[in-house]
């Protein structure tokens, strides 16, 4: 699967589309030939080193970083991305958990041991033959927020990624070498994998966002200056553009994918006028089921399906099975709301070195006389009469901020660590922009604002650091004896 | 209003938006120089600047704004 849908098509592009543009990074174009040269020289370093099968890659925005991913894959290895703007301590924890013994970094800063700097490597002979490994081998491990205060690794195999690509094409996308495709996601987030694989396996060009740019403004620049034709984006990013919708007209856009969080119908309907010729899709998927697993094509003329103002997430992709599970573990009929569970070839073999979490998140269910392994998404949904999935909300304290999946428990854990016993509760609220923002309540009278914020910045990525801190002498308690999160939230108004 | 008057006025807006009392701007200052200058604070900054100078920016202008110097230039052209 991986070879057929990823390695073979990319190799064909490296050889036969050598002069075509593969990337536009910070307004500089790089051809498939430039890309192939970088891949080959990084491979020669990997061959010289004693490595485990998991290689750390510092996720910078440059050609070397993307070439590192494919060098790792051509060598039969897997990558673990580390974001340069996240705290070093968090990255070291991830590197430790993943057992990384070699790290590729295009930035000369030597913050890690066993680091190879990829920006000034000598040229090597073209090397596009790949080391054959099975589809059961790992492709990448992505670390997401974990409620115990430690990030947790989702291990994705080559077979998972291959199955994803096969199913993605079947959803009806025709991309060729003339396409110009947006890649506006961090490499630590799996929608990035779709965003670079779709163009690179079709000879098209990938347009990226430099880390030091204001994303929404830069994305508009790319859409407008380069007349992009394909792109996945998060609704929260599109919302930043909303005050300027009357200035935006991108007739070149053929396909727009809304993903990473629930899509508000009103926002996307207005956005649709800015991309008048695009087919608009709402894609849903947890990292555990490899990028996306259901999708809904938004009708341009008829009214779109929605629940509480959020677009339907449509039907399962090819090969994916979705069921709604009731509170007693029974599979619910159409129309009944329950926890969505997903099965199929895109399903992760499990969390990395985390048997407790694996026991919690996966279960076997019998369906049509066959026992299959399902992932419990934590998302509450139901099937409508046409078999489209309507998205209701989360079961737990997980929220999405700017498309990033966050366990509130992880933030609360670090706050309590710092406060040495004082209670801390994080509440997601909608700000004036209608984007989700985090407010931290601290059960203390002492002003800890400044020191706590800087402590959290050293432990957590910036999108997890609460925007506001509220000090509260005593927390309200509900009838179950738990902190009443609803009352705390009400205090904000 | 000349450039230094614009700068003076901006020097009252920036520290508030980024919650950094000591922050003093220079023409070469960019988003990557200021901790916390991201999409959200950028949006707040733009709206505060618009209110304070009584102007509105076009998205195209925001996109060409690479540093504070560019911002001053665009503000000056609108006054």
């Amino acid at each position: 699967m991986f070879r057929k849908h990823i390695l073979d098509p990319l190799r064909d592009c490296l050889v036969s589309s050598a002069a075509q543009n593969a990337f536009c990074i910070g307004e500089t174009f790089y051809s498939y030939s430039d890309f192939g040269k970088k891949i080959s020289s990084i491979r020669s370093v990997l061959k010289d080193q004693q490595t485990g099968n998991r290689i750390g890659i510092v996720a910078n925005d440059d050609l070397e970083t993307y070439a590192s991913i494919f060098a790792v894959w051509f060598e039969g290895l897997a990558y673990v991305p580390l974001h340069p703007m996240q705290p070093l301590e968090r990255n070291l924890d991830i590197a430790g958990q993943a057992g990384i013994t070699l790290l590729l970094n295009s930035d000369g800063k030597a913050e890690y041991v066993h680091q190879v700097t990829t920006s000034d490597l000598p040229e090597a002979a073209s090397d596009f033959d790949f080391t054959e490994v099975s589809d059961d081998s790992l492709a990448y491990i992505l670390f997401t927020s974990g409620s115990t205060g430690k990030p947790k690794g989702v291990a994705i195999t080559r077979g998972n990624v291959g199955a994803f690509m096969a199913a993605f094409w079947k959803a009806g996308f025709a991309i060729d070498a003339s396409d110009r495709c947006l890649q506006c996601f961090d490499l630590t987030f799996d929608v990035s994998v779709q965003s670079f694989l779709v163009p690179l396996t079709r000879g098209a060009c990938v347009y990226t966002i430099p880390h030091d740019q204001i994303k929404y403004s830069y994305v508009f620049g790319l859409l407008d200056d380069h007349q992009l034709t394909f792109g996945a984006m998060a609704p929260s990013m599109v919302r930043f553009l909303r005050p300027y919708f009357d200035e935006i007209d991108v007739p070149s856009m053929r396909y727009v994918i809304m993903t990473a969080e629930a899509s508000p119908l009103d926002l996307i309907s207005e956005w649709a006028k800015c991309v008048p010729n695009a087919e608009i899709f709402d894609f849903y998927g947890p990292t555990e089921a490899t990028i996306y697993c259901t999708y809904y094509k938004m009708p341009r003329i008829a009214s779109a399906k929605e629940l509480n103002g959020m677009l339907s997430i449509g039907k399962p992709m090819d090969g994916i099975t979705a069921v709604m599970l009731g509170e007693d573990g029974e599979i619910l009929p159409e129309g009944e709301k329950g926890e969505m569970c997903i099965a199929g070839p895109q399903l992760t073999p499990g969390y990395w070195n985390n048997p407790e979490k694996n026991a919690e998140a996966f279960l076997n269910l019998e369906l049509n006389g066959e026992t299959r392994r399902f992932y419990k998404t934590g998302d509450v949904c139901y099937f409508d009469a046409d078999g489209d999935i309507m998205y209701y909300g989360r079961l737990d304290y997980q929220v999405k901020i700017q498309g990033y999946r966050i366990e509130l428990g992880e933030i609360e854990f670090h706050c309590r660590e710092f406060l040495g016993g004082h209670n801390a509760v994080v509440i997601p609220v909608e700000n004036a922009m209608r984007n989700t923002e985090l407010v931290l309540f601290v059960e203390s009278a002492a002003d800890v604002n400044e020191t706590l914020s800087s402590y959290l910045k050293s432990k957590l990525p910036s999108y997890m650091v609460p925007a506001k801190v509220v000090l509260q002498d005593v927390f309200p308690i509900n009838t179950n004896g738990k902190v009443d999160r609803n009352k705390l939230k009400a205090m904000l108004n | 209003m000349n450039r230094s008057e614009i700068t003076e006025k901006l020097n009252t807006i920036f520290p508030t938006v980024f919650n950094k009392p000591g922050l003093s701007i220079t023409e070469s200052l960019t988003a990557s120089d200021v901790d916390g200058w991201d999409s959200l604070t950028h949006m707040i900054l733009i709206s505060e600047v618009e209110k304070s100078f009584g102007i509105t920016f076009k998205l195209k202008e925001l996109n060409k704004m690479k540093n504070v110097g560019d911002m001053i230039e665009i503000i000056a052209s609108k006054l």
Side-chain angles (χ1 to χ4, degrees), chain A residues 212-218 220-221 224-225 240-241 244 247-248 431 433 437 450 457, chain B residues 19-20 31-32 35 37-40 42-43 46 50 57-60 62-64 66:
Chain A
D212 61 355
Q213 293 289 322
I214 299 298
K215 197 195 264 186
Y216 70 92
S217 166
Y218 195 87
F220 164 71
D224 198 55
D225 296 345
F240 281 113
L241 293 170
Y244 310 101
E247 284 179 58
I248 306 175
N431 63 17
M433 288 279 296
E437 184 175 283
E450 277 292 298
K457 277 178 198 155
Chain B
N19 196 17
K20 288 189 176 34
S32 53
D35 188 26
W37 191 339
D38 57 14
S39 286
L40 184 62
H42 187 68
M43 196 267 312
I46 294 303
E50 288 179 337
F57 293 110
K58 286 200 163 302
L59 186 54
K60 274 210 158 84
L62 295 185
N63 181 238
K64 303 301 168 207
K66 297 300 175 208

